[in-house]
Amino acid sequence: MTMTLTPPETRERTAPSLRTRRLPKAAVGALHGLAVLLAVAWIVGPADARAGLLAVVLAGIVPLWSRIVEGRRKAKDRLVTLLVTTAFGIALIPLGSIVWTVLEKGVPVLSREFFTYSMRNVVGEGGGIHHAITGTLLITLGATVISVPIGLFTAIYVVEYGDGTRLAGALRFLVDVMTGIPSIVAGLFAYALFVVIFGDGVRMGIGGAVALSVLMVPVVVRSCEEMLKLVPTELREASYALGVPQWRTIVKVVLPTALAGIVTGVTLAIARVIGETAPLLVIAGATDSVNFNLFDGRMATLPVFTYTSIIQPGVPPEPAIARAWGAALVLLLIVMLLNLIARLVSHVFSPAGER
Amino acid sequence: MNRTSMRPWAATAAGAALLVSLAACGAANESDASGDESSAGSSLSGTLNGAGASSQQSAVNAWKQGFQTENPDVTVNYDAIGSGGGREQFISGGTSFAGSDAYLDDEELAAASERCGGGDVITVPVYVSPVAVVYNLDGVDDLRLSPETLGAIFAGDITTWNDEAIATDNPDADLPDVAITPVHRGDASGTTENFTAYLAAASDGAWSHGEVEEWPIKGGEAAQQTSGVIQAVSGGSGTIGYADASQVGDLDTVAVKVGSDYVEPSPEAAAKVLDAATPVAGRAETDLALQIDRGTDAEGVYPIVLVSYQIACQKYDDPAEAELVKEWLTYVAGPEGQQASADAAGSAPLTEDFAAKVQAAIDTIG
Amino acid sequence: MSTTTETETRAVVRPGDRVFRGISSISAIVIVSTLAGVAIFLTAEGVPGMTASADQVKSGETFLRYVTPLVFGTLWAAVIALAIATPVSIGVALFISHVAPRRLAQPIGYVIDLLAAVPSVVYGSWGILTLSSSIQPLYVWLERNLGFLPFFAGPASATGRTILTAAVVLAIMVLPIMTAICREIFLQTPRLHEEAALALGATRWEMITMAVLPYARSGIVSAAMLALGRALGETMAVAMVLSASGVISVNLISSTNPSTIAANIALSFPEASGLDVSVLIGTGLVLFAITFAVNVAARALVARHREFSGAN
């Protein structure tokens, strides 16, 4: 946690130990280490299920032992810590496996050609995803430009202006309902909307951005709302007390305080939609060539490219499937970059003293 | 606050600029393509949009390559949204041509004729591909099955590999006592339609569910798309499924009984089906919709084939569009295009006689 | 709450506030009208399919009979997924916010955030290639040892592509988003509350139960709702992993599984035309209604624990 938190923690750890008995650190560490080692051995391969069972038993000894030596409360604490850490370990297995699969299959594909070529006139080996990278960046940018202002202002309305009112409650509820719109329905909706405006068979990048916005707005609202609610009311009241109008309080006090959370929320929302396949397939279409114009013609995107390459690899299938994994990896890298930028922003912006 | 707050924005802008500039220049291969117009000497230009059957996609990719190389200023787009969607978008005027695993029914035909300004609708088979029956069974390499047995297996009436019916077809094979897991397509698909059409026509009643796009039996192993079926069949043991022959990979394929012979899937054997097929009655001359004789016992014919059409108009409002469509279809149905799709998608090239009929229909465009 | 009364009691409404309020209201209106648009679209396109008689559509069933197994499958898969994901992601979030050393916690949180961006196609491929084959022996074991329970009645699928596998994939997919929100909320717990608890001699767990969890409760429910929304509506991954047959069955490990609404739309939509499209969009409307109902329930749940939510 933070630096300020450490002193009370250490005090708790050292000072009472003069009177109460504590488990020897080395033994606990050894037991935990051995359990982790066995579990890893079981999952990675060399050992069978018995190793996993043994790991559970070994890890389970600590809280029992603690119950005898340190008492009930401390034992419970150790048990929960163990469970929480195990949950983390369990979550790491599939996530690690997915990352590993993407890296293993994606890295060999990356090359200069892969980034600078499109798929125009490419059959079989070679070619690249330049067109898909362009499309994904532009469409996601479009979606972000549409959804972040709408989402943020709605959250501000719900928390700052309308809190407690019936309208805000209804809005919250509607946003929740909106999170449940299946991605394919969002795509069909955007398509229907654009057909009304531009006529049948319309395909344009901005349509994809609209479809993604339908999916993105509720995530932005929901996370911004949570973050704004967590800003202590004392801060707002202090600002009002100084005669600062409400809107300046929001801009100068509330938003900066909640910024780290808002930025995480927005990044998450982007991450949520940047990998969407179904709606883009419907409204943005697919093409082999680069298209820079959001408002005219089909645009290729990384998820659609990945999907079509896996589903319809052609003959022989290997190069197309390899390109699909490469595209998935690039998508991850793009999100990573966005994430880094977001962290930078929130780091510089957050008021001093915040974590 | 004001002085310091500019910095992060600058950082964000720089980061975003970095991302965009990464993609801002055109693709390396594309500037080349449009750069040397003189060498190609084609006057065609514009964008041609089509949508439809996903079965054609690999072939369309190959055709696009050939066509766009010949005509560097042309961009062809094809959305593999499925046959139904393709037909619908074509009829509503959203696309210039459609790819479809099934020909237009009468109702659609009337609507399509209206979309085509009262002209006839061009329907040409351009993609003929054998559908292979694949299986994964340890110790059995060349399985042979009669249509009746095949029908009973997929209907769930034959459930183990050492069943007598299978043994009759394979007197030499050492059939294990393993449960059969039939794998079918979970999505609606032209492949399923063609496969069940074959079962309905040839299995002598063992398959009683008719010709359907969506698998009619509840239960059993379902997989999405051709690649999913292949994965499910290779991943399990004692599995059997059906898939486009070009995607089979290392899996063993079943030789199917036709007449008194057993025929393995091959492009040549599949192409013969077209010669044996009869045109659907009561259609315009430009409409080459085919009634395939799947119960055939002609020698050397592989009867489980997927025939996929491209559908276009005789008349377009924009003469440039008509020209594009005409040139595109001419290329696709021509020897070059058919060879390209045979190489890239393992399809069966149209026989010469048939290609001539197709060309005659295409020539009426414009 | 207090803020609204403040503006009312102040005599002068500043122009800045008016503008701000205006923009906020417009945003809210945009959201409401989008939602209304989606609802109108679904209703207009779906109703003809919902009212069609059995012999007019390809499935040969009335809409109610067609949609019931799908509704069951959708809820079943989402509930299992959420049952797996909720405890794990709360655990992971607690690990990151309160257990792991700060130095370790940040990069871990970062990696988990990234996973929210993995396209569902990749989850689907991973589910087929890696998960289903490695989890299949477990199904055989479950059938042999717990086969008396209806959930594990078997016969165990030969490929492992069952509803339980799909639910596990869904759980993994919603894990990043749930973890990230929970983590942010845990980190926002007022430090004074935490320190007060510790100063009174509470162990770390006691501090968490006394200070962190009550404060975060509404946020956790929100996170779960977001996750549920994603699990209910997830299309591609389920479509790829699940061997779906459109039956109603609580059997978790056989190859005959209920399908989900979203996956069914994705699988059937491309080859559908005419009235069948309406039927599919009608099922989309049903999914919409389900989300609606689930949210009403969740809202009632949160309202009961209001004391700690909001800017208190």
Side-chain angles (χ1 to χ4, degrees):
Chain A
M1 285 174 286
T2 58
M3 294 307 289
T4 47
L5 255 183
T6 340
E9 249 193 356
T10 31
R11 204 182 310 134
E12 184 216 16
R13 217 174 261 154
T14 52
S17 74
L18 294 173
R19 264 169 287 155
T20 54
R21 300 208 295 150
R22 303 192 36 109
L23 296 184
K25 261 191 175 165
V28 172
L31 276 172
H32 280 158
L34 200 59
V36 169
L37 212 67
L38 280 167
V40 168
W42 173 45
I43 291 153
V44 176
D48 61 7
R50 274 172 297 181
L53 205 65
L54 191 61
V56 173
V57 171
L58 281 181
I61 288 177
V62 177
L64 285 178
W65 187 14
S66 166
R67 175 85 179 80
I68 298 160
V69 179
E70 294 173 331
R72 190 182 50 82
R73 287 176 54 214
K74 192 70 193 162
K76 200 170 177 187
D77 187 46
R78 281 191 190 274
L79 179 68
V80 173
T81 308
L82 179 72
L83 287 179
V84 164
T85 315
T86 315
F88 174 72
I90 289 173
L92 269 196
I93 299 167
L95 298 179
S97 165
I98 288 170
V99 170
W100 175 248
T101 314
V102 174
L103 281 178
E104 188 191 23
K105 304 199 171 178
V107 167
V109 190
L110 301 186
S111 67
R112 202 188 149 75
E113 184 183 333
F114 192 66
F115 285 105
T116 54
Y117 273 49
S118 69
M119 286 304 292
R120 189 180 165 94
N121 294 350
V122 175
V123 165
E125 280 193 48
I129 54 167
H130 190 95
H131 58 309
I133 297 179
T134 317
T136 287
L137 289 182
L138 287 174
I139 289 179
T140 313
L141 186 71
T144 313
V145 167
I146 298 172
S147 352
V148 170
I150 294 182
L152 187 56
F153 274 107
T154 308
I156 289 175
Y157 181 82
V158 168
V159 178
E160 302 293 330
Y161 287 103
D163 195 23
T165 63
R166 204 167 266 246
L167 185 62
L171 209 55
R172 257 187 212 137
F173 174 68
L174 290 178
V175 167
D176 278 352
V177 173
M178 216 170 155
T179 60
I181 298 179
S183 53
I184 184 131
V185 170
L188 294 172
F189 167 70
Y191 181 70
L193 186 70
F194 275 67
V195 163
V196 170
I197 304 172
F198 295 100
D200 268 310
V202 62
R203 292 281 192 286
M204 46 174 84
I206 192 73
V210 168
L212 292 189
S213 299
V214 172
L215 300 170
M216 196 171 163
V217 162
V219 185
V220 174
V221 177
R222 220 58 186 91
S223 49
C224 287
E225 188 198 330
E226 288 303 327
M227 297 312 146
L228 291 179
K229 276 203 300 199
L230 290 172
V231 174
T233 316
E234 292 88 338
L235 283 183
R236 294 190 185 90
E237 283 164 356
S239 177
Y240 298 144
L242 293 172
V244 180
Q246 192 174 9
W247 71 274
R248 274 187 74 84
T249 307
I250 293 170
V251 175
K252 293 290 183 187
V253 177
V254 178
L255 288 183
T257 312
L259 189 79
I262 291 175
V263 168
T264 310
V266 170
T267 322
L268 267 174
I270 294 178
R272 159 81 176 81
V273 298
I274 202 171
E276 275 301 339
T277 315
L280 294 178
L281 202 59
V282 175
I283 174 75
T287 176
D288 292 340
S289 314
V290 176
N291 176 7
F292 286 112
N293 191 349
L294 268 177
F295 298 92
D296 183 40
R298 284 139 220 271
M299 278 182 128
T301 47
L302 286 169
V304 173
F305 178 82
T306 310
Y307 177 71
T308 48
S309 302
I310 285 183
I311 295 297
Q312 294 290 334
V315 184
E318 288 79 16
I321 290 172
R323 278 196 297 268
W325 287 108
L329 177 60
V330 170
L331 194 58
L332 268 190
L333 291 176
I334 290 177
V335 176
M336 208 158 95
L337 207 59
L338 286 175
N339 233 317
L340 270 178
I341 296 171
R343 301 232 157 200
L344 199 70
V345 171
S346 69
H347 179 76
V348 180
F349 251 132
S350 294
E354 279 293 311
R355 0 190 165 181
Chain B
M1 181 72 198
N2 274 341
R3 239 182 307 134
T4 50
S5 64
M6 285 314 290
R7 243 187 309 142
W9 286 124
T12 326
L18 190 82
L19 269 179
V20 174
S21 66
L22 185 92
C25 44
N29 53 330
E30 285 184 33
S31 46
D32 284 350
S34 54
D36 49 10
E37 281 168 53
S38 52
S39 63
S42 151
S43 60
L44 277 183
S45 68
T47 305
L48 179 64
N49 291 326
S54 51
S55 56
Q56 285 187 33
Q57 183 157 55
S58 315
V60 170
N61 282 344
W63 292 329
K64 273 200 293 200
Q65 183 205 18
F67 192 65
Q68 289 177 161
T69 311
E70 267 180 32
N71 309 288
D73 289 338
V74 175
T75 298
V76 181
N77 293 313
Y78 183 78
D79 294 338
I81 54 172
S83 302
R87 294 197 296 268
E88 206 151 278
Q89 293 202 357
F90 170 73
I91 290 170
S92 67
T95 52
S96 303
F97 72 94
S100 174
D101 291 343
Y103 47 81
L104 300 173
D105 62 29
D106 293 338
E107 197 180 314
E108 285 172 324
L109 199 60
S113 172
E114 200 172 304
R115 176 246 189 274
C116 291
D120 278 336
V121 178
I122 313 270
T123 304
V124 287
V126 290
Y127 177 79
V128 180
S129 177
V131 174
V133 180
V134 291
Y135 66 99
N136 186 5
L137 184 62
D138 286 338
V140 181
D141 292 333
D142 37 23
L143 193 68
R144 314 198 295 183
L145 292 174
S146 67
E148 293 82 16
T149 319
L150 208 51
I153 288 175
F154 277 93
D157 295 333
I158 296 181
T159 52
T160 53
W161 281 106
N162 59 358
D163 192 279
E164 248 172 68
I166 302 178
T168 324
D169 285 327
N170 302 277
D172 306 331
D174 179 22
L175 295 165
D177 181 16
V178 172
I180 301 179
T181 308
V183 181
H184 61 263
R185 285 280 287 269
D187 49 332
S189 128
T191 313
T192 301
E193 186 169 15
N194 281 284
F195 183 65
T196 51
Y198 162 74
L199 290 182
S203 74
D204 214 10
W207 173 262
S208 56
H209 303 278
E211 174 186 343
V212 287
E213 257 187 353
E214 235 169 310
W215 196 249
I217 304 168
K218 296 203 167 176
E221 188 84 18
Q224 192 202 2
Q225 301 277 8
T226 299
S227 47
V229 172
I230 298 292
Q231 268 163 352
V233 171
S234 25
S237 169
T239 44
I240 184 166
Y242 55 93
D244 199 283
S246 61
Q247 301 293 325
V248 164
D250 296 334
L251 282 172
D252 292 316
T253 55
V254 174
V256 180
K257 190 173 189 180
V258 180
S260 54
D261 288 337
Y262 292 90
V263 186
E264 284 272 352
S266 72
E268 296 73 31
K272 289 184 186 167
V273 164
L274 279 194
D275 296 334
T278 48
V280 176
R283 300 236 163 183
E285 265 183 36
T286 55
D287 192 331
L288 295 178
L290 292 176
Q291 197 75 54
I292 294 160
D293 179 15
R294 300 179 195 270
T296 181
D297 47 13
E299 197 183 331
V301 174
Y302 186 78
I304 320 177
V305 291
L306 172 75
V307 176
S308 197
Y309 302 87
Q310 286 198 354
I311 300 168
C313 282
Q314 216 169 16
K315 287 195 203 117
Y316 289 91
D317 291 339
D318 178 7
E321 187 184 359
E323 182 71 14
L324 261 180
V325 173
K326 187 175 179 181
E327 291 299 321
W328 162 256
L329 286 178
T330 306
Y331 172 82
V332 164
E336 250 182 274
Q338 287 296 310
Q339 191 54 47
S341 60
D343 293 343
S347 66
L350 299 175
T351 55
E352 242 171 77
D353 295 348
F354 199 83
K357 274 197 257 179
V358 170
Q359 190 57 49
I362 295 169
D363 284 339
T364 64
I365 299 179
Chain C
M1 292 180 279
S2 53
T3 50
T4 39
T5 49
E6 206 122 7
T7 37
E8 278 159 15
T9 48
R10 204 165 21 217
V12 192
V13 177
R14 323 222 179 179
D17 264 338
R18 203 173 290 159
V19 171
F20 231 66
R21 198 182 251 274
I23 299 175
S24 303
S25 314
I26 290 170
S27 304
I29 291 167
V30 169
I31 288 191
V32 173
S33 47
T34 309
L35 199 67
V38 172
I40 291 169
F41 160 73
L42 285 175
T43 315
E45 302 269 317
V47 164
M50 296 171 86
T51 51
S53 66
D55 48 350
Q56 281 174 295
V57 293
K58 211 161 49 182
S59 61
E61 286 168 340
T62 58
F63 185 77
L64 199 64
R65 286 185 57 122
Y66 180 72
V67 83
T68 311
L70 294 174
V71 170
F72 171 78
T74 307
L75 292 175
W76 187 229
V79 164
I80 302 171
L82 218 60
I84 300 171
T86 311
V88 174
S89 45
I90 292 176
V92 174
L94 275 179
F95 179 80
I96 294 171
S97 64
H98 286 88
V99 175
R102 181 86 169 137
R103 212 174 279 266
L104 198 65
Q106 221 167 19
I108 292 170
Y110 183 59
V111 168
I112 290 184
D113 280 1
L114 281 189
L115 286 159
V118 177
S120 37
V121 182
V122 171
Y123 279 109
S125 308
W126 176 82
I128 300 176
L129 293 175
T130 313
L131 181 66
S132 55
S133 53
S134 50
I135 211 170
Q136 197 266 341
L138 175 69
Y139 295 159
V140 176
W141 185 87
L142 283 172
E143 186 199 356
R144 202 174 304 143
N145 295 291
L146 293 170
F148 56 89
L149 293 172
F151 305 118
F152 307 118
S157 160
T159 53
R161 296 166 55 252
T162 74
I163 189 113
L164 188 54
T165 313
V168 170
V169 170
L170 280 179
I172 296 166
M173 290 181 76
V174 301
L175 196 78
I177 202 158
M178 225 171 141
T179 305
I181 297 174
C182 289
R183 182 194 67 209
E184 286 301 324
I185 291 160
F186 292 158
L187 282 174
Q188 297 284 351
T189 313
R191 215 176 307 162
L192 285 174
H193 295 194
E194 292 177 8
E195 284 170 7
L198 290 176
L200 289 172
T203 62
R204 185 157 53 195
W205 171 240
E206 285 160 351
M207 180 269 281
I208 289 172
T209 47
M210 284 189 291
V212 180
L213 290 184
Y215 186 77
R217 191 176 283 133
S218 96
I220 294 174
V221 174
S222 287
M225 280 305 108
L226 269 182
L228 187 64
R230 180 152 201 199
L232 284 173
E234 175 50 42
T235 314
M236 287 300 176
V238 177
M240 287 171 86
V241 171
L242 187 62
S243 159
S245 311
V247 294
I248 295 183
S249 153
V250 292
N251 194 337
L252 292 172
I253 58 168
S254 85
S255 62
T256 304
N257 296 293
S259 186
T260 73
I261 291 179
N264 184 60
I265 294 179
L267 290 178
S268 309
F269 198 82
E271 299 294 330
S273 57
L275 214 49
D276 295 318
V277 174
S278 292
V279 171
L280 290 176
I281 293 181
T283 63
L285 186 60
V286 172
L287 179 54
F288 203 68
I290 292 175
T291 324
F292 209 83
V294 166
N295 273 301
V296 172
R299 203 137 281 277
L301 207 71
V302 180
R304 241 186 273 157
H305 305 280
R306 255 218 110 76
E307 67 272 30
F308 275 100
S309 65
N312 55 334

